[in-house]
């Protein structure tokens, strides 16, 4: 699955995204690296892949600081990686750790 960094431009497009997984972490985090690798090796069904975008965000970055201003609960994240699944700009699920099965459950529950 293709993954990108969350940028200011992609953050502004958040309300238009059918499904957006924001993976919050840090480049130095081993669990974050393992989750990134698992996502890279995952091949979702074509219909899901066409709707889902996966982005990574460091809370210490400029866009991460904006994210925290807009979503005050993000300041209290204590475990990374932390995942937030958005559907058209609204968070529909969130969980710590990295697991494809958990992601699929979040997608099913959010729809």
């Amino acid at each position: 699955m293709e993954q990108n960094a969350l940028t200011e431009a992609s953050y502004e497009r958040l309300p238009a995204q059918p499904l957006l997984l924001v993976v919050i972490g840090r480049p130095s985090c081993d669990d974050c690296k393992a989750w990134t690798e698992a996502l890279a090796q995952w091949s979702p069904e074509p219909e899901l892949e066409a709707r889902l975008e996966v982005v990574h965000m460091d809370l210490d970055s400029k866009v991460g600081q904006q994210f925290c201003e807009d979503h005050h609960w993000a300041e209290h994240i204590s475990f990374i990686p932390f995942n937030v699944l958005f559907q058209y700009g609204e968070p529909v699920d969130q969980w710590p750790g990295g697991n494809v099965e958990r992601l699929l459950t979040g997608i099913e529950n959010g729809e």
Side-chain angles (χ1 to χ4, degrees), residues 22-94:
V22 177
V23 179
I24 300 168
R26 290 201 166 66
S28 60
C29 166
D30 289 337
D31 289 337
C32 300
K33 291 175 191 174
W35 182 216
T36 299
E37 183 60 31
L39 286 168
Q41 294 178 10
W42 176 50
S43 296
E45 296 293 321
E47 180 184 307
L48 176 58
E49 188 170 13
R51 294 182 305 131
L52 176 66
E53 182 178 351
V54 177
V55 295
H56 293 266
M57 181 185 71
D58 183 339
L59 286 175
D60 295 331
S61 68
K62 184 177 179 181
V63 71
Q65 292 170 0
Q66 181 64 50
F67 187 92
C68 285
E69 286 178 25
D70 295 342
H71 306 279
H72 293 285
W73 52 264
E75 296 173 356
H76 305 287
I77 293 172
S78 56
F79 298 101
I80 55 173
F82 191 84
N83 304 277
V84 185
L85 184 64
F86 287 88
Q87 187 172 28
Y88 293 108
E90 294 296 321
V92 294
D93 200 2
Q94 51 188 298

Side-chain angles (χ1 to χ4, degrees), residues 19 21 42 48 51-52 85 87 92-93 95 100-111:
L19 283 173
L21 176 66
W42 176 50
L48 176 58
R51 294 182 305 131
L52 176 66
L85 184 64
Q87 187 172 28
V92 294
D93 200 2
W95 67 95
V100 171
E101 289 78 21
R102 176 62 180 88
L103 169 59
L104 292 172
T105 298
I107 291 169
E108 289 173 12
N109 292 340
E111 295 184 315

